[in-house]
């Protein structure tokens, strides 16, 4: 079937006037030549009586009636005494069963007749007969159709896989939507994306990568109920399926299984078996989006959810995802303004000496109240800031607010040091160290007052690139701590190259070592390691006195956790410090 848009383009390319009337003799379509002929005047719904005097209009009406009865009319039309045009009128049937009339003006000439715009016989009567003209028109029409179709097909195809490309998908989506309008047949859009395709490319080479994409494309084309398969670029594909009107849980499941099986079947390329897996997100029209852009957005949100839930999964769009992506957008926008307006808050959590229980330092933790959604968990907004490339801005804002609030306590000697969390990617910025030192000085503080915590999960690549910044900061006297130690997969050899002062044992180890012997052994090993690296140790997340006792007796000097104090605002910190000063023995007493 030729797409309506293709046909329209063909008719517009013809040097002949073509227009269509319905069974009420109203004009419902005119090609470019026709629109040109009537100087762009309104024509939709008009009849010949709107353009001609009664006598002519009646003559035309007679011809049209004959065509509606199924008999073509082929005639020289006379306007008054002149032959105005050679017209072929053909019967057609519209999709709703209604008969109609297609008129083709075989003559090119036109001029205004009695101030009415219509065509007039041009002087090229050289074409022998009208019969011949009709043949030449037919040939020309076919030719135009083929040329247009070829050009359009090429512009809509992905050359590497032979599937549709983005443009092709757009066209197929519009066609599927029209099909729904006409028949009520729903369709599903699936966005899919291979998991870790980059690794296949890197390890096995681009030729194998391309073969995987081609193999997958061939599989897609065999899927039941497939309307269209498109490659959107890279390893991203889109699939369009026909689905039943009554789409229930079972059918959703079948649809998911169909897609899942295509994505996860192993593939044999160059006698090697390749286990590629993929994730997909599906949205159904019109249930999950009543316009195409919403449908696409929701299929995309479903794909993101599938990936976030551990990949190699197929996820159908649902209200929970709708809520989540709405919430996500609210959070992204809100966080952006909060950073700009510096309307973030800070909580401070004391870190105490394991022997004297005196405060050694406080950790600065970001807090954020969304104007509508209330308090947002740091893990959630920190991740969003990282995804949106806002984390370094956030860290700077937090640092400045923290310096402002802590300056009086530092000046009074009530605390000596505070820790801030620094995003690993920041540390690879060339100017990071000098910028930080400048800001410390700007607040009237010294580098000794500051400890920066870097997460161990930062990639080794990032840590290596960060080394030059860390060296500058370390040489200036800033304390460098490796955070969440025990959760990443530290390359121990490369740790030796980093100027570390402290490692911070992760909360999960502290939590589990009471009940899990292997975790306890790991903890003891880390204590040994710290000795070899000649760094001090902090344990975070201490919640029980048993925790505190065991960890302190293993020789960990710095303790942090709810057992001593929860993170708190500045006013509460001041009160806590006063109480703590009263209870904790002085350092010299403890020694
Ligand atoms: P983190 O750096 O590991 O921070 C310690 C987290 O442990 C804090 O969570 C703190 O409230 C929590 N915690 C402390 N003691 C206990 C305890 O005894 N029991 C339990 N269950 N939890 C305890 P929070 O404040 O939710 O922060 C989560 C993470 O968000 C932080 O983990 C840190 O990675 C990140 N973060 C917070 N503020 C910032 C910031 O300003 N910049 C950056 N880049 N990251 C931040
Ligand atoms: Ca931390
Ligand atoms: Ca931590």
């Amino acid at each position: 079937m030729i797409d309506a848009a293709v046909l329209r383009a063909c008719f517009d390319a013809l040097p002949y006037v073509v227009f269509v009337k319905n069974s009420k003799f109203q004009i419902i379509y005119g090609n470019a030549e026709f629109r040109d002929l009537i100087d762009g005047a309104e024509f939709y719904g008009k009849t010949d009586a709107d353009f001609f005097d009664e006598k002519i209009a009646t003559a035309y009406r007679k011809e049209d009636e004959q065509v509606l009865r199924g008999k073509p009319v082929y005639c020289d039309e006379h306007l008054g005494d002149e032959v105005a045009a050679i017209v072929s009128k053909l019967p057609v049937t519209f999709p709703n069963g209604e008969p109609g009339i297609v008129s083709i003006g075989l003559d090119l000439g036109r001029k205004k007749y009695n101030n009415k715009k219509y065509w007039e016989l041009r002087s090229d009567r050289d074409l022998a007969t009208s019969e011949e003209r009709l043949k030449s028109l037919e040939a020309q029409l076919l030719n135009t159709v083929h040329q247009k179709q070829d050009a359009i097909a090429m512009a809509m195809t992905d050359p590497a896989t032979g599937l549709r490309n983005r443009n092709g998908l757009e066209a197929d989506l519009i066609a599927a939507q029209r099909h729904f309008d006409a028949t009520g047949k729903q369709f599903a859009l699936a966005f899919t994306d291979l998991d870790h395709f980059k690794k296949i490319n890197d390890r096995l080479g681009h030729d194998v990568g391309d073969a995987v994409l081609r193999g997958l494309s061939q599989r897609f084309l065999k899927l039941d109920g497939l309307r269209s398969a498109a490659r959107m670029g890279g390893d991203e594909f889109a699939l369009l399926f026909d689905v039943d009107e009554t789409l229930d849980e079972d059918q959703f499941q079948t649809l998911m299984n169909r897609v899942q099986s295509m994505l996860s079947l192993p593939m044999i390329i160059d006698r090697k078996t390749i286990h590629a897996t993929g994730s997909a997100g599906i949205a159904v029209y019109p249930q999950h989006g009543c316009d195409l852009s919403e449908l696409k957005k929701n299929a995309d949100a479903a794909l993101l959810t599938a990936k976030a839930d551990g990949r190699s999964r197929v996820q159908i769009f649902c209200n929970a995802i709708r809520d989540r992506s709405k919430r996500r957008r609210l959070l992204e926008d809100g966080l952006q303004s909060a950073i700009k307006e510096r309307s973030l808050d800070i909580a401070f959590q004391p870190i105490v000496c394991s022997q004297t229980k005196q405060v050694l330092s406080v950790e600065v933790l970001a807090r954020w109240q969304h104007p509508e959604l209330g308090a947002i968990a740091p893990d959630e907004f920190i991740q969003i800031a990282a995804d949106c490339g806002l984390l370094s801005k956030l860290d700077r804002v937090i640092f400045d607010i923290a310096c402002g609030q802590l300056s009086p306590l530092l000046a009074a000697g009530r605390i000596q040091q505070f820790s801030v969390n620094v995003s690993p990617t920041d540390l690879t910025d060339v100017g990071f160290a000098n910028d930080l030192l400048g800001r410390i000085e700007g607040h009237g503080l010294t580098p000794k007052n500051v400890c920066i915590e870097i997460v161990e999960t930062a990639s080794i690549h990032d840590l290596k690139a960060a080394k030059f910044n860390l060296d500058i900061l370390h040489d200036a006297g800033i304390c460098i701590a490796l955070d969440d130690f025990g959760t990443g997969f530290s390359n121990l050899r490369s740790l030796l190259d980093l100027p570390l002062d402290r490692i911070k044992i992760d909360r999960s180890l502290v939590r589990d070592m009471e009940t899990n012997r292997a975790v306890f052994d790991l903890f003891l090993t880390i204590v040994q390691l710290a000795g070899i690296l000649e760094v001090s140790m902090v344990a975070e997340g201490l919640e029980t006195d048993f925790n505190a006792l065991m960890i302190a007796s293993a020789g960990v000097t710095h303790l942090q956790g709810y057992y001593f104090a929860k993170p708190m605002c500045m006013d509460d910190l001041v009160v806590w410090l006063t109480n703590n000063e009263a209870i904790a023995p002085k350092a010299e007493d403890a020694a």
Side-chain angles (χ1 to χ4, degrees):
M1 245 257 312
I2 304 174
D3 184 81
V6 177
L7 271 185
R8 267 203 302 277
C10 294
F11 281 117
D12 281 345
L14 283 174
Y16 301 100
V17 170
V18 179
F19 58 102
V20 179
K21 289 178 188 160
N22 63 16
S23 59
K24 295 193 205 85
F25 311 101
Q26 292 165 315
I27 303 173
I28 56 167
Y29 167 79
N31 71 347
E33 196 71 9
F34 174 81
R35 295 193 298 272
D36 200 22
L37 176 77
I38 60 170
D39 283 348
E42 264 303 315
F43 64 83
Y44 189 85
K46 299 216 164 137
T47 64
D48 287 335
D50 294 312
F51 294 104
F52 303 105
D53 62 34
E54 204 190 319
K55 193 171 145 226
I56 296 171
T58 313
Y60 289 164
R61 170 66 64 94
K62 284 227 171 76
E63 294 168 5
D64 288 351
E65 281 167 352
Q66 179 186 328
V67 178
L68 283 184
R69 288 195 298 275
K71 287 176 101 184
V73 167
Y74 184 75
C75 62
D76 288 354
E77 280 191 348
H78 290 262
L79 291 178
D81 295 335
E82 284 179 73
V83 174
I86 303 165
V87 175
S88 174
K89 295 185 173 183
L90 305 165
V92 284
T93 309
F94 298 121
N96 63 1
E98 181 188 332
I101 304 142
V102 179
S103 298
I104 306 172
L106 295 182
D107 198 272
L108 306 178
R110 67 178 84 115
K111 77 169 194 200
K112 288 179 183 165
Y113 177 79
N114 283 351
N115 287 329
K116 300 210 165 94
K117 291 153 192 155
Y118 210 55
W119 62 85
E120 193 197 53
L121 189 64
R122 212 181 43 162
S123 57
D124 64 337
R125 294 161 192 266
D126 30 284
L127 262 179
T129 65
S130 303
E131 222 45 81
E132 239 169 77
R133 291 208 71 161
L134 185 58
K135 281 216 187 79
S136 109
L137 169 67
E138 269 170 10
Q140 210 169 333
L141 176 62
L142 270 181
N143 200 12
T144 322
V145 167
H146 286 148
Q147 276 174 9
K148 280 263 172 192
Q149 267 183 320
D150 288 351
I152 289 173
M154 231 166 67
M156 292 193 176
T157 303
D158 169 54
T161 58
L163 301 184
R164 306 284 259 170
N165 60 13
R166 263 174 204 280
N167 292 336
L169 178 74
E170 281 310 311
D172 292 346
L173 275 169
I174 293 170
Q177 192 183 34
R178 294 226 179 105
H179 186 63
F180 172 83
D181 290 343
T183 63
K185 203 123 181 70
Q186 306 188 52
F187 59 96
L189 169 66
F191 282 139
T192 84
D193 169 328
L194 286 178
D195 303 329
H196 313 299
F197 180 64
K198 196 174 166 306
K199 273 192 201 149
I200 297 182
N201 260 337
D202 289 351
R203 286 199 196 136
L204 305 171
H206 284 265
D207 288 348
V208 175
D210 289 351
V212 169
L213 294 180
R214 278 195 303 274
L216 201 62
S217 304
Q218 289 314 306
R219 267 188 210 170
F220 285 148
L221 292 174
K222 291 188 193 118
L223 276 168
D224 272 356
L226 187 84
R227 276 188 81 92
S228 162
R231 177 165 174 234
M232 311 291 282
D235 61 338
E236 292 166 26
F237 294 88
L239 307 170
L240 272 184
F241 296 96
D242 281 323
V243 292
D244 280 334
E245 288 96 280
T246 51
L247 206 60
D248 59 20
E249 270 305 308
D250 279 357
Q251 281 157 327
F252 269 138
Q253 200 54 52
T254 320
L255 187 64
M256 299 214 321
N257 293 346
R258 259 191 271 166
V259 175
Q260 182 73 64
S261 63
M262 285 300 131
L263 287 172
S264 55
L265 273 176
M267 225 177 271
I268 296 172
I269 289 164
D270 276 356
R271 282 191 236 119
K272 280 194 243 19
T273 308
I274 294 172
H275 293 272
T277 60
S279 307
I282 301 180
V284 176
Y285 182 91
Q287 186 171 342
H288 298 146
C290 46
D291 66 56
L292 293 178
S293 81
E294 199 191 341
L295 186 76
K296 282 185 279 183
K297 206 175 67 197
N298 290 344
D300 212 35
L303 173 60
L304 280 181
T305 308
K307 283 200 214 162
D309 288 353
R311 298 169 190 263
S312 188
R313 280 172 48 92
V314 178
Q315 174 70 52
I316 300 233
F317 185 76
C318 60
N319 285 337
I321 297 177
R322 189 190 305 270
D323 295 347
R324 219 177 306 164
S325 59
K326 196 174 146 207
R327 178 183 160 89
R328 172 80 187 201
R329 269 195 300 278
L330 270 179
L331 289 178
E332 283 177 6
D333 294 348
L335 191 59
Q336 191 138 24
S337 345
I339 292 171
K340 211 160 122 207
E341 292 154 13
R342 304 181 150 249
S343 58
L344 293 154
D345 296 321
I346 295 183
F348 302 93
Q349 187 176 30
I351 297 172
V352 303
C353 169
S354 62
Q355 300 306 314
T356 67
K357 307 296 182 291
Q358 273 192 319
V359 67
L360 294 173
S361 170
V362 292
E363 179 172 3
V364 170
L365 295 160
R367 294 290 178 264
W368 179 41
Q369 285 277 129
H370 185 276
E372 288 157 54
L373 302 171
I376 310 299
D379 286 324
E380 185 174 17
F381 72 78
I382 295 292
Q383 185 58 49
I384 292 175
D387 295 345
C388 301
L390 291 170
L391 192 50
S392 62
K393 276 195 191 141
L394 180 142
D395 283 344
R396 282 157 150 260
V397 169
I398 291 293
F399 185 82
D400 287 337
I401 302 176
C403 286
Q405 293 192 12
L406 288 168
S407 285
L409 293 181
L410 289 160
R414 295 185 73 183
I415 58 166
Q416 312 299 326
Q417 195 185 56
F418 64 96
S419 300
V420 288
N421 294 286
V422 170
S423 95
T425 46
D426 273 9
L427 283 166
T428 58
D429 283 354
V430 183
F432 178 80
N434 290 319
D435 175 68
L436 186 71
L437 292 171
R439 278 181 304 129
I440 291 171
E441 201 185 314
H443 284 282
L445 305 176
T446 67
K448 285 244 172 293
N449 296 138
V450 181
C451 170
I452 61 170
E453 298 189 359
I454 327 153
V455 279
E456 188 215 1
T457 44
S459 73
I460 278 304
H461 172 80
D462 278 350
L463 285 180
K464 274 190 181 154
K467 185 172 152 36
F468 73 95
N469 271 320
L470 293 177
D471 284 337
I472 300 175
L473 295 172
H474 177 80
D475 291 347
I478 287 185
C479 172
I480 314 280
L482 200 56
D483 203 353
D484 298 348
F485 195 83
T487 53
F489 299 94
S490 272
N491 177 331
L492 294 178
R493 169 67 189 80
S494 63
L495 285 188
L496 288 176
D497 296 335
L498 294 178
L500 294 181
D501 297 292
R502 196 176 283 170
I503 56 182
K504 203 165 173 181
I505 300 170
D506 189 63
R507 195 162 80 213
S508 61
L509 295 186
V510 171
R511 182 192 59 213
D512 295 341
M513 70 182 170
E514 274 184 31
T515 51
N516 186 329
R517 181 63 210 225
V519 174
F520 186 67
D521 290 347
L522 177 61
F523 164 73
L524 292 179
T525 311
I526 293 174
V527 175
Q528 295 287 319
L529 178 71
I532 296 168
L533 293 174
E534 297 179 327
V535 296
S536 66
M537 278 199 300
V538 194
E540 67 178 352
L542 272 74
E543 293 189 3
T544 64
D545 46 2
F546 184 69
N547 265 167
L549 196 71
M550 280 217 297
I551 291 172
S553 43
V556 176
T557 49
H558 295 51
L559 309 179
Q560 177 184 5
Y562 292 174
Y563 178 65
F564 302 103
K566 288 198 169 179
M568 52 195 143
C569 66
M570 179 47 79
D571 289 348
D572 292 348
L573 177 67
V574 170
V575 175
W576 183 89
L577 285 173
T578 308
N579 293 340
N580 183 257
E581 279 155 13
I583 304 164
K586 293 265 169 290
E588 32 304 355
D589 302 344

